[in-house]
Amino acid sequence: MHNAAMTKYPSGTDDLGALRRRSRQSWLLFAAVALMLLVAGLHLAGAYGRSQALVDLAEQSRLDASLKVSLLRAVVERQRALPLVLSDDTAIRQALASPSPQSLEPINRKLESLAASAEAAVVYLIGRDGVAVAASNWREPTSFVGNDYAFRDYFRLAMRDGKGEHFAMGTVSRRPGLYISRRVDGPDGPLGVIVAKLEFDGVEADWRVTDKPTYVTDRRGIVLITSLPSWRFMTTRPIPDDRLADIRESLQFGDAPLLPLPFHRIEDQPDGSSTLEALLPGDGTEAFLRVETPVPSTAWRLEQLSPVKVALAAGAREMRLLMLAALVPLLALAAFLLRRRQVVAMRSATERLARTELEEKVEARTRDLSRARDRLETEIADHRQTAEKLQAVQQDLVQANRLAILGQVAAGVAHEINQPVATIRAYADNARTFLDRGQSAIASENMESIAELTERVGAITDELRRFARKGHFAAEPTEMKDVVEGALLLLRSRFAGRMDAIRIELPPDGLKALGNRIRLEQVLINLLQNALEAIGDRDDALIRVRCEETAGGIALTVADNGPGVPADILDELFTPFNTSKEEGLGLGLAISKEIVNDYGGTIEVDSSPSGTTFTVQLKEADAP
């Protein structure tokens, strides 16, 4: 009826025909607006869907490229070790120092065996004059033995700098590969160079399995490794004629023309990627998204092309469906409201609502609102009571955790107290005997010892009584050295046989955190108990406790070399009742995190099979 009240009723001279004409005009206008909204929505949704799909594709492409870079680097690093080891081989040095058929034949066989086991294309030894004297392919017709390689960059670099890497076309094998060289030194200077050639046929074959053309370029933009053989030794950008002549003269890439890659309509994207159209061998032109990733420890860059046609179409289709799913119900609702308004207008032309009916509805609505207000106030009161109960339960859990700790150390504390009590009894009996004998000086020494032992017992009981105190503790400047020493005092009785595994770097005097000593001791005891239980009785057990001032406040670190936290527990380590111990409740760390959060700090964990490290960040008391 609210819509009826907002409707401008026709005057007494208007008839139903006039209302019907206005109704038809309204529907024509609505249809035109709805059509424009649909057309504009489809266009905008398609554009947004394509842009979002391009962003998602770029992210996925970077992940794929990073994985390929990691695999490529692993292949290269494995082959780098071969020349490094062979350059220190005594037999190779002796063969280079005194070359002869008798000394070189074992070298040929050795290189042949190493090349097969290391999956190197060929491994060969070059004298200091640049002529190969031994090679793993010495049995083959295309043996490198006797060939002059003094003109090769990898030979010159190794002789000058001790090592070199050079990607080139083989002058004998006519196969491209990476030449990794190391200089072989003798007592009187360089003796020669050992070279391992790495070919990437396996890597390229793996890349060809996907529909994403992938290639590696050097700093000049020349394609070295590629999933499309026809793109090898092409360039990502034009090379000046003078530099092009030098490259061809060096025979690094044989007689390759070094033509630019068949890329067109290259458009850079804000995230560093780019879109382009590439002419594929036998498949025609296709649109791609190109991402680039550097290959660590080399001067290479890996570039990957991901097809965008399917991804863009899917992104546009998905966004258009979402747009239709949102817009069509809105248009249907608008049509419903328009129809409803017209029905109300037609009905209002013949009747008027009575004032009494309106007042009754207003009164009923007022009563509903009053009841709703009362219910809301009741719910608010219930929520407040629930919050207060939750806070009380939280305090009880913290107190229960402290009492649980006291229960665990109670037996050890009793032993810790019984020892000085027994000694006091012995000193007292001796003092009485000495007094009976008139030896008051010796009796006085016994009384002093009794006083010292009494102070020791008092310190233990005071620490227990203080730790068991219940209540809410406000934040105040707290000496971190007292926190560490107090926690160790309570733990020493329970873990007396394993306290030697703890290495402590006590904080300097005056280093104060914003918190409460009792609650901070509770946090440290929980962390140390977990660490002591984690290391068990292993011989190399070690726990490091360190407290230091940092730029962000104070960092308290507890690190152990235990087996680490299981992966299924680690993600919810600070969740209540989450534990890997059969006798544990899983409350210690949850309560510790709550305590640290109360004082504006944080607690983090880093775990691996070699150990676990907890880091508690606290606010420094004197910090602004």
Side-chain angles (χ1 to χ4, degrees):
M1 300 306 295
H2 176 69
N3 289 337
M6 296 297 294
T7 303
K8 184 178 179 180
Y9 298 105
S11 63
T13 58
D14 290 338
D15 55 10
L16 295 179
L19 290 176
R20 291 190 181 96
R21 285 195 298 272
R22 283 200 296 270
S23 176
R24 286 193 294 270
Q25 293 173 358
S26 299
W27 281 113
L28 290 175
L29 179 60
F30 175 81
V33 173
L35 181 60
M36 288 189 295
L37 288 176
L38 286 173
V39 172
L42 289 173
H43 175 73
L44 294 176
Y48 178 77
R50 285 190 291 271
S51 64
Q52 190 62 36
L54 204 60
V55 172
D56 295 341
L57 181 62
E59 182 177 355
Q60 181 61 43
S61 296
R62 287 191 179 90
L63 292 176
D64 294 343
S66 298
L67 179 60
K68 291 179 179 178
V69 164
S70 300
L71 295 175
L72 178 61
R73 184 184 180 188
V75 172
V76 174
E77 291 294 344
R78 183 176 59 186
Q79 297 300 329
R80 282 175 175 163
L82 185 59
L84 177 63
V85 173
L86 291 177
S87 63
D88 289 332
D89 188 272
T90 302
I92 289 179
R93 289 178 177 172
Q94 292 175 352
L96 286 174
S98 302
S100 66
Q102 292 76 16
S103 63
L104 291 176
E105 182 176 355
I107 301 300
N108 283 324
R109 298 182 182 277
K110 182 174 187 177
L111 296 182
E112 182 180 27
S113 174
L114 287 174
S117 59
E119 298 181 359
V122 62
V123 182
Y124 52 104
L125 184 63
I126 304 175
R128 57 186 160 195
D129 58 353
V131 177
V133 297
S136 60
N137 61 355
W138 61 290
R139 302 176 187 270
E140 301 174 8
T142 58
S143 171
F144 288 5
V145 177
N147 291 332
D148 188 355
Y149 296 102
F151 70 97
R152 283 295 199 182
D153 286 348
Y154 60 80
F155 176 78
R156 294 200 300 266
L157 290 173
M159 291 297 290
R160 185 188 68 188
D161 302 330
K163 62 180 181 179
E165 291 187 5
H166 186 61
F167 194 99
M169 174 75 78
T171 56
V172 176
S173 65
R174 309 303 298 170
R175 294 178 57 82
L178 176 63
Y179 294 84
I180 305 174
S181 59
R182 281 277 180 173
R183 186 177 63 207
V184 181
D185 293 322
D188 300 326
L191 297 175
V193 173
I194 184 72
V195 184
K197 181 183 179 182
L198 172 60
E199 295 180 357
F200 298 92
D201 294 347
V203 174
E204 293 176 338
D206 292 339
W207 291 353
R208 278 193 290 271
V209 173
T210 66
D211 61 345
K212 300 176 181 179
T214 306
Y215 53 91
V216 173
T217 64
D218 61 11
R219 62 169 57 93
R220 298 165 298 187
I222 300 176
V223 176
L224 306 178
I225 309 168
T226 174
S227 60
L228 298 176
S230 61
W231 284 8
R232 195 185 317 280
F233 300 149
M234 300 186 78
T235 64
T236 58
R237 55 183 178 271
I239 299 177
D241 293 338
D242 53 346
R243 296 186 60 188
L244 194 61
D246 294 338
I247 295 173
R248 288 174 176 168
E249 185 178 353
S250 69
L251 298 179
Q252 180 180 0
F253 305 112
D255 56 356
L258 301 178
L259 298 175
L261 286 168
F263 294 165
H264 308 285
R265 301 179 63 180
I266 301 175
E267 296 181 6
D268 294 332
Q269 301 297 316
D271 60 355
S273 61
S274 59
T275 57
L276 55 85
E277 291 184 358
L279 180 61
L280 299 180
D283 292 337
T285 302
E286 187 174 346
F288 291 95
L289 175 71
R290 177 175 61 183
V291 295
E292 302 179 12
T293 304
V295 181
S297 74
T298 70
W300 299 347
R301 295 186 67 83
L302 183 140
E303 299 184 11
Q304 177 179 280
L305 304 183
S306 300
V308 300
K309 182 178 180 180
V310 175
L312 294 182
R317 181 172 59 255
E318 181 179 356
M319 290 309 300
R320 285 170 177 165
L321 289 175
L322 290 175
M323 185 278 302
L324 290 175
L327 185 57
V328 169
L330 290 177
L331 292 175
L333 178 61
F336 170 76
L337 293 177
L338 177 60
R339 175 60 182 167
R340 181 182 177 185
R341 181 178 183 275
Q342 292 173 351
V343 170
V344 170
M346 295 289 290
R347 186 178 301 163
S348 299
T350 58
E351 62 182 23
R352 293 289 186 268
L353 293 176
R355 184 179 299 274
T356 56
E357 183 182 354
L358 179 60
E359 291 176 353
E360 289 175 358
K361 289 186 177 181
V362 170
E363 183 179 356
R365 182 60 176 165
T366 302
R367 286 195 302 270
D368 292 341
L369 290 176
S370 298
R371 287 194 293 269
R373 180 199 60 195
D374 295 339
R375 289 196 299 270
L376 182 59
E377 290 177 351
T378 302
E379 290 178 359
I380 292 174
D382 292 341
H383 285 315
R384 288 176 180 171
Q385 292 178 359
T386 302
E388 292 173 356
K389 292 179 181 178
L390 180 61
Q391 186 175 7
V393 170
Q394 182 181 8
Q395 292 296 328
D396 290 342
L397 282 177
V398 174
Q399 177 66 11
N401 180 248
R402 285 203 295 271
L403 294 178
I405 293 173
L406 288 177
Q408 293 172 353
V409 303
V413 169
H415 177 73
E416 197 77 14
I417 293 176
N418 285 338
Q419 284 185 336
V421 168
T423 307
I424 289 172
R425 174 64 182 271
Y427 276 133
D429 292 341
N430 292 339
R432 182 172 60 187
T433 301
F434 289 135
L435 288 175
D436 292 341
R437 296 176 182 175
Q439 297 175 339
S440 58
I442 300 178
S444 176
E445 292 177 0
N446 283 2
M447 298 303 290
E448 291 177 357
S449 298
I450 290 173
E452 293 175 356
L453 292 171
T454 304
E455 291 178 356
R456 178 181 174 186
V457 173
I460 295 174
T461 56
D462 287 346
E463 186 68 23
L464 287 173
R465 184 171 58 255
R466 179 185 55 77
F467 189 78
R469 191 177 305 148
K470 184 177 181 181
H472 179 74
F473 303 97
E476 60 185 6
T478 303
E479 187 85 26
M480 290 304 297
K481 187 175 182 180
D482 295 340
V483 172
V484 176
E485 291 176 344
L488 292 176
L489 179 62
L490 291 177
L491 283 174
R492 186 173 290 112
S493 59
R494 182 187 176 199
F495 298 98
R498 288 183 280 170
M499 294 299 286
D500 292 341
I502 301 179
R503 303 290 185 268
I504 303 173
E505 297 184 23
L506 285 175
D509 294 333
L511 182 61
K512 297 181 179 181
L514 192 62
N516 177 268
R517 177 179 173 181
I518 295 176
R519 302 192 76 186
L520 293 182
E521 281 184 6
Q522 184 176 357
V523 173
L524 183 55
I525 288 174
N526 279 328
L527 297 180
L528 285 174
Q529 281 190 150
N530 288 343
L532 287 166
E533 292 171 355
I535 62 175
D537 297 326
R538 55 191 298 173
D539 296 335
D540 61 341
L542 178 62
I543 299 174
R544 295 188 180 275
V545 181
R546 184 176 184 182
C547 185
E548 60 183 349
E549 185 177 10
T550 64
I554 295 176
L556 175 63
T557 304
V558 177
D560 65 71
N561 63 346
V565 180
D568 57 338
I569 299 295
L570 187 61
D571 292 340
E572 299 182 357
L573 190 60
F574 297 102
T575 303
F577 309 109
N578 181 40
T579 179
S580 60
K581 297 178 287 187
E582 295 182 358
E583 68 279 4
L585 294 177
L587 292 176
L589 290 177
I591 291 174
S592 298
K593 181 177 179 65
E594 196 69 29
I595 292 173
V596 173
N597 289 343
D598 285 346
Y599 296 133
T602 60
I603 181 170
E604 298 176 349
V605 61
D606 182 17
S607 184
S608 66
S610 61
T612 302
T613 301
F614 285 89
T615 303
V616 179
Q617 292 286 346
L618 298 170
K619 291 184 178 179
E620 190 172 357
D622 298 333

mmCIF file of all heavy atoms in Angstrom, residues 132 214 353 361 474 553 586:
data_model
loop_
_atom_site.group_PDB
_atom_site.id
_atom_site.type_symbol
_atom_site.label_atom_id
_atom_site.label_comp_id
_atom_site.label_asym_id
_atom_site.label_seq_id
_atom_site.Cartn_x
_atom_site.Cartn_y
_atom_site.Cartn_z
ATOM 1 N N ALA A 132 92.208 -30.485 -29.258
ATOM 2 C CA ALA A 132 91.650 -31.519 -28.391
ATOM 3 C C ALA A 132 92.551 -32.740 -28.424
ATOM 4 O O ALA A 132 92.906 -33.241 -29.490
ATOM 5 C CB ALA A 132 90.244 -31.880 -28.832
ATOM 6 N N THR A 214 57.820 -22.484 -25.685
ATOM 7 C CA THR A 214 58.762 -22.013 -24.679
ATOM 8 C C THR A 214 60.146 -21.937 -25.305
ATOM 9 O O THR A 214 60.537 -22.824 -26.071
ATOM 10 C CB THR A 214 58.784 -22.958 -23.470
ATOM 11 O OG1 THR A 214 57.442 -23.122 -22.975
ATOM 12 C CG2 THR A 214 59.649 -22.398 -22.356
ATOM 13 N N LEU A 353 -8.325 4.483 0.398
ATOM 14 C CA LEU A 353 -8.192 3.823 1.697
ATOM 15 C C LEU A 353 -8.744 4.726 2.790
ATOM 16 O O LEU A 353 -8.489 5.937 2.809
ATOM 17 C CB LEU A 353 -6.712 3.518 1.984
ATOM 18 C CG LEU A 353 -6.042 2.473 1.089
ATOM 19 C CD1 LEU A 353 -4.564 2.353 1.428
ATOM 20 C CD2 LEU A 353 -6.732 1.135 1.201
ATOM 21 N N LYS A 361 -3.312 0.379 10.751
ATOM 22 C CA LYS A 361 -2.056 -0.239 10.282
ATOM 23 C C LYS A 361 -0.844 0.422 10.922
ATOM 24 O O LYS A 361 0.140 -0.239 11.267
ATOM 25 C CB LYS A 361 -1.973 -0.155 8.763
ATOM 26 C CG LYS A 361 -2.964 -1.077 8.062
ATOM 27 C CD LYS A 361 -2.763 -1.069 6.571
ATOM 28 C CE LYS A 361 -3.716 -2.044 5.874
ATOM 29 N NZ LYS A 361 -3.524 -2.082 4.417
ATOM 30 N N ALA A 474 47.151 -6.790 34.875
ATOM 31 C CA ALA A 474 47.294 -5.690 33.922
ATOM 32 C C ALA A 474 48.726 -5.613 33.424
ATOM 33 O O ALA A 474 49.673 -6.086 34.066
ATOM 34 C CB ALA A 474 46.885 -4.369 34.589
ATOM 35 N N GLY A 553 60.481 -4.176 19.067
ATOM 36 C CA GLY A 553 60.212 -4.374 20.484
ATOM 37 C C GLY A 553 61.181 -5.372 21.075
ATOM 38 O O GLY A 553 62.405 -5.174 21.041
ATOM 39 N N GLY A 586 45.872 -29.828 24.637
ATOM 40 C CA GLY A 586 45.955 -28.871 23.530
ATOM 41 C C GLY A 586 45.563 -27.456 23.919
ATOM 42 O O GLY A 586 45.058 -26.713 23.098
#
